[in-house]
Amino acid sequence: MASTIQVRVEEENPYAPMTEEGILAKLKKSREQEKYRDAEDVLSDIRSKYGL
């Protein structure tokens, strides 16, 4: 069974369903352009911001 996930992208329809392959391709492109953050850093920022 194929599944889709809705993600925000910088395109005409930012909420268009994407296939797993499409998501993986975008993630690969982000990694190549070094446009990503470590999840622990993101969680730390959220905890600090909201006092968690």
Side-chain angles (χ1 to χ4, degrees):
M1 177 167 87
S3 59
T4 59
I5 300 172
Q6 287 187 337
V7 295
R8 185 171 187 275
V9 294
E10 295 179 11
E11 294 178 2
E12 213 171 286
N13 181 357
Y15 302 104
M18 294 179 64
T19 63
E20 181 178 356
E21 292 81 18
I23 293 170
L24 293 175
K26 286 193 175 282
L27 289 171
K28 181 180 178 184
K29 182 178 176 183
S30 293
R31 285 188 202 103
E32 290 169 351
Q33 295 175 351
E34 298 184 10
K35 292 183 178 181
Y36 63 90
R37 291 183 61 202
D38 185 63
E40 289 299 321
D41 293 339
V42 174
L43 290 173
S44 177
D45 289 350
I46 291 170
R47 288 184 181 115
S48 296
K49 184 175 180 177
Y50 296 103
L52 302 174

